[in-house]
Amino acid sequence: MVFGQVVIGPPGSGKTTYCNGMSQFLKLIGRKVAIINLDPANDSLPYECAVNIEDLIKLSDVMTEHSLGPNGGLVYCMDYLEKNIDWLQSKLEPLLKDHYLLFDFPGQVELFFLHSNAKTVIMKLIKKLNLRLTAVHLVDAHLCSDPGKYVSALLLTLSTMLHLELPHINVLSKIDLIENYGKLAFNLDFYTDVEDLSYLQHHLDQDPRSAKYRKLTKELCDVIEDFSLVNFSTLDIQDKESVGNLVKLIDKTNGYIFSGIEASAVEFSKIAVGPLDWDYYRYPCLLLILNIIFAQF
């Protein structure tokens, strides 16, 4: 049984930086990590990847050969990867014995709530390789400073959750920079818990552009609240405690905390709902190393 993360989110949300920081953190707590780059547009990687889609297909070649733009080219690349899933499977098989997997996907959002090929790739890998994956959906925290953009982010997040059908964690990334874009209208808990969006209506009405679509916005907010699926964790990739808290949550959703444990259903339930202590908190020297590593980001 192999565990990992499917890292997704709009362009600029920090997926590549996340994969780099997360891999460093996981290695320091004793896990062997393999990053799989499935973004053919990402030609400047800060990390060493175990598998790179550019060995199969390059976005620049697709755009030139088929006269496509970046978005159309990425859809083509995902379709090509789906048809050549055996290539990806063969690359992953040597890693299955002892690696934790991080999949770095493209940022084009239509791949995850309109088109089916990215989802098909993920589901085929889960079935063929017996993977236990959690989708980590990154959203730039600065969107909270604009009510209209925040509602759009909620809709995108909900659509992605319903489309992918994976254990899912939504993350407000770059939380350390959130107030650089202006003071928030509400406490941060309002934006992470996603409760009672009617409070946003007053702030939306202050913008003439948003006021015009007041009724539409209210209906969209009602849809989000009716599903009651969306909430957010926060992340500062430079803060070891922030990353550690997110790892604990991910390990619960993909079942990593249960690996190697033989227990009754009652014991499993206690583990699932209880707090989780990390061994690295008990070793001061490791904490020092973590501080040095995360100071580099």
Side-chain angles (χ1 to χ4, degrees):
M1 191 177 297
V2 185
F3 300 90
Q5 304 174 28
V6 174
V7 183
I8 58 176
S13 57
K15 295 182 298 300
T16 298
T17 302
Y18 173 89
C19 287
N20 189 26
M22 181 59 71
S23 66
Q24 295 273 6
F25 185 90
L26 292 173
K27 288 174 184 176
L28 284 170
I29 62 174
R31 301 187 198 179
K32 292 183 71 173
V33 181
I35 305 179
I36 296 89
N37 175 44
L38 296 181
D39 183 359
N42 196 351
D43 54 5
S44 180
L45 298 172
Y47 53 74
E48 182 180 347
C49 54
V51 182
N52 194 342
I53 193 175
E54 286 205 335
D55 295 336
L56 175 69
I57 189 170
K58 293 185 178 182
L59 178 62
S60 56
D61 294 342
V62 169
M63 292 170 63
T64 301
E65 183 176 346
H66 299 283
S67 300
L68 293 171
N71 287 355
L74 280 168
V75 173
Y76 183 97
C77 289
M78 282 296 108
D79 187 53
Y80 190 82
L81 177 62
E82 180 189 348
K83 289 179 170 58
N84 292 273
I85 192 69
D86 291 341
W87 172 86
L88 182 56
Q89 182 179 345
S90 67
K91 293 286 186 180
L92 292 175
E93 283 173 348
L95 305 172
L96 299 182
K97 184 178 180 181
D98 55 1
H99 281 77
Y100 186 97
L101 306 179
L102 294 176
F103 292 89
D104 189 359
F105 270 87
Q108 270 53 38
V109 295
E110 59 266 32
L111 294 174
F112 301 100
F113 73 93
L114 285 178
H115 300 283
S116 62
N117 28 31
K119 176 184 176 180
T120 303
V121 167
I122 295 168
M123 292 305 170
K124 284 183 177 179
L125 292 177
I126 289 173
K127 184 176 181 180
K128 290 184 177 183
L129 303 179
N130 193 26
L131 305 183
R132 296 293 183 269
L133 301 177
T134 290
V136 179
H137 185 230
L138 302 180
V139 174
D140 196 323
H142 91 269
L143 297 179
C144 296
S145 62
D146 184 316
K149 291 179 180 178
Y150 176 67
V151 172
S152 297
L154 292 177
L155 283 171
L156 171 62
T157 301
L158 177 60
S159 300
T160 304
M161 292 177 74
L162 295 175
H163 183 71
L164 281 186
E165 298 179 319
L166 284 175
H168 206 102
I169 293 177
N170 303 305
V171 180
L172 290 177
S173 62
K174 309 178 189 177
I175 198 66
D176 52 314
L177 304 176
I178 189 169
E179 292 196 350
N180 289 1
Y181 298 90
K183 185 175 176 60
L184 297 179
F186 304 99
N187 291 334
L188 184 60
D189 288 351
F190 175 84
Y191 299 95
T192 56
D193 295 344
V194 193
E195 294 180 353
D196 203 351
L197 296 177
S198 62
Y199 285 105
L200 282 176
Q201 198 67 57
H202 170 73
H203 293 275
L204 286 165
D205 289 346
Q206 305 306 306
D207 185 343
R209 296 169 300 176
S210 302
K212 181 179 179 181
Y213 304 103
R214 188 177 191 280
K215 186 176 179 181
L216 173 62
T217 304
K218 181 182 181 304
E219 295 299 328
L220 293 175
C221 289
D222 288 345
V223 169
I224 295 166
E225 290 185 325
D226 287 345
F227 274 95
S228 193
L229 291 175
V230 181
N231 57 29
F232 292 95
S233 299
T234 59
L235 176 66
D236 174 3
I237 196 64
Q238 301 180 56
D239 182 353
K240 65 182 183 301
E241 185 176 351
S242 177
V243 179
N245 288 336
L246 183 60
V247 170
K248 294 176 189 179
L249 188 57
I250 293 169
D251 285 351
K252 284 188 176 183
T253 57
N254 63 19
Y256 185 89
I257 60 170
F258 304 114
S259 61
I261 297 176
E262 293 184 5
S264 66
V266 174
E267 291 302 315
F268 277 128
S269 299
K270 289 180 180 178
I271 295 171
V273 301
L276 186 62
D277 260 338
W278 287 113
D279 286 338
Y280 58 75
Y281 284 132
R282 301 170 189 164
Y283 300 100
C285 61
L286 190 50
L287 278 176
L288 177 61
I289 296 172
L290 282 168
N291 283 323
I292 294 171
I293 290 294
F294 280 86
Q296 298 174 7
F297 291 100

